[in-house]
Amino acid sequence: VVEKLTILHISDLHRSSDNSISNVSLLSSLCRDSDNYYNDKILKPDLIIVSGDIVQGSNDFENADKILIEQYKEAHDFLVSLADELLNGDRNKIILVPGNHDICWKESILSMKKIDENKFLDNNQEVKNYYLKEINKSNSNIRWSWKDRSFYAIEDNNMYYNRLSYFVNFYKEFYNNQKEYSLNPKDQYDIFDFEEWGITVIGLNSCYNNDHLNRTGTISPDSIGNISLNLRHLSKEKRLILAAWHHNINGSPHRQDYMDNYIIQNFIAYDI
């Protein structure tokens, strides 16, 4: 085990041709920081964590496919260049996790159907308790839209899962087909084990049930359970376990795009 390990943590790249900060500008800035700040006390990065919002995403329903493919190509080119500059080209030392901007809203929209008003209103024209309770559950398939004051239901789970398909394709290509990312929420994590340093980094998806009508961050309970099972042998080998995800664990009262910190309690319970 080495005495010193340096991890560079970056997030919210929002790669897009519309972004005023180009790949070259961003890479140049990080390389200048590397030249100016790393010394015998602060070593150059051994690992790089990129914690979500890798692309900007798109609200353009008709052109979403083309736009996301182009954005992920730009992200791919940037991260390959970053690996070349700081990690001697070793992409396996970059840990990638998805963020809410990595979700395709087109698939999210197509997976849902508007619920008829007669179904969610009672005889007094008040919303039935069932629907009020459902929209507050983290694993519910019911959504509320403030835009048209209507409830929606996820009717096509496969389509809903596909909202991360562009990230999944990008992930596989970036790691040269050596790693894959699942579309199934229970398997949406990756384990990066670095025996030479005695550490293991878990890349988590905090966008479970995150879509165009639900901005709240959370992590699939099943994925946490699966991670715990897969970490048992590493824990016995005394690895230092680190976890990376996208969403904050607190937010102001008028925001909902953060993750409830009860998730952290689950990590503690499972020794993550």
Side-chain angles (χ1 to χ4, degrees):
V1 178
V2 295
E3 293 183 1
K4 291 183 179 181
L5 176 73
T6 301
I7 299 175
L8 171 64
H9 179 198
I10 57 178
S11 186
D12 295 79
L13 300 178
H14 292 279
R15 292 298 81 207
S16 167
S17 59
D18 296 329
N19 196 318
S20 59
I21 302 175
S22 67
N23 276 2
V24 172
S25 298
L26 185 55
L27 181 65
S28 174
S29 176
L30 288 170
C31 288
R32 283 201 311 273
D33 286 344
S34 174
D35 294 338
N36 292 334
Y37 297 113
Y38 293 118
N39 50 52
D40 58 338
K41 292 183 179 179
I42 304 176
L43 306 178
K44 285 192 174 184
D46 299 295
L47 299 174
I48 299 175
I49 295 175
V50 186
S51 56
D53 282 1
I54 292 166
V55 298
Q56 176 60 30
S58 175
N59 295 328
D60 185 340
F61 189 89
E62 296 298 325
N63 300 300
D65 304 302
K66 178 182 177 183
I67 291 171
L68 284 168
I69 288 171
E70 290 175 349
Q71 289 181 358
Y72 274 115
K73 182 182 184 307
E74 185 172 340
H76 177 274
D77 292 345
F78 168 74
L79 290 168
V80 168
S81 297
L82 185 65
D84 289 342
E85 289 288 342
L86 299 182
L87 298 171
N88 296 318
D90 191 347
R91 302 183 199 179
N92 290 317
K93 291 179 179 176
I94 292 183
I95 291 93
L96 301 172
V97 300
N100 53 294
H101 279 259
D102 296 304
I103 288 174
C104 179
W105 283 10
K106 179 178 180 179
E107 271 76 6
S108 170
I109 292 169
L110 289 174
S111 72
M112 299 185 193
K113 185 177 180 180
K114 190 174 182 177
I115 298 174
D116 190 284
E117 188 177 88
N118 294 326
K119 289 187 176 181
F120 65 79
L121 293 179
D122 61 21
N123 294 333
N124 296 319
Q125 295 299 293
E126 303 228 349
V127 177
K128 296 177 181 177
N129 284 334
Y130 168 80
Y131 290 96
L132 294 175
K133 291 178 180 179
E134 279 298 307
I135 60 172
N136 290 314
K137 292 180 180 178
S138 63
N139 62 343
S140 174
N141 72 331
I142 303 296
R143 300 287 186 270
W144 169 255
S145 170
W146 283 106
K147 184 177 181 180
D148 58 4
R149 303 295 195 274
S150 296
F151 285 97
Y152 286 78
I154 300 170
E155 294 205 334
D156 187 337
N157 281 323
N158 288 330
M159 178 65 72
Y160 188 75
Y161 289 169
N162 276 336
R163 73 200 194 287
L164 267 177
S165 60
Y166 295 94
F167 174 81
V168 167
N169 293 336
F170 154 76
Y171 197 88
K172 185 176 181 179
E173 182 181 358
F174 178 75
Y175 292 114
N176 291 317
N177 298 321
Q178 295 176 11
K179 285 181 171 289
E180 294 187 357
Y181 206 84
S182 176
L183 286 173
N184 192 320
K186 70 181 179 66
D187 297 316
Q188 285 178 341
Y189 63 89
D190 208 345
I191 297 175
F192 298 78
D193 183 49
F194 302 99
E195 183 179 1
E196 66 272 32
W197 294 316
I199 71 166
T200 300
V201 183
I202 313 301
L204 295 160
N205 174 31
S206 62
C207 302
Y208 174 58
N209 283 350
N210 196 231
D211 52 55
H212 69 290
L213 295 179
N214 178 29
R215 308 295 179 84
T216 305
T218 190
I219 297 171
S220 166
D222 287 339
S223 72
I224 296 175
N226 282 332
I227 291 167
S228 177
L229 291 173
N230 283 297
L231 286 181
R232 291 167 68 193
H233 71 286
L234 293 174
S235 297
K236 292 177 181 178
E237 295 175 18
K238 306 299 182 183
R239 292 285 198 278
L240 173 64
I241 308 295
L242 307 178
W245 63 87
H246 177 68
H247 287 82
N248 289 327
I249 57 171
N250 54 55
S252 57
H254 68 283
R255 298 183 68 95
Q256 60 167 333
D257 57 345
Y258 60 93
M259 188 173 76
D260 195 307
N261 63 16
Y262 82 86
I263 296 290
I264 306 300
Q265 297 171 6
N266 286 342
F267 291 165
I268 295 170
Y270 283 108
D271 293 326
I272 297 174

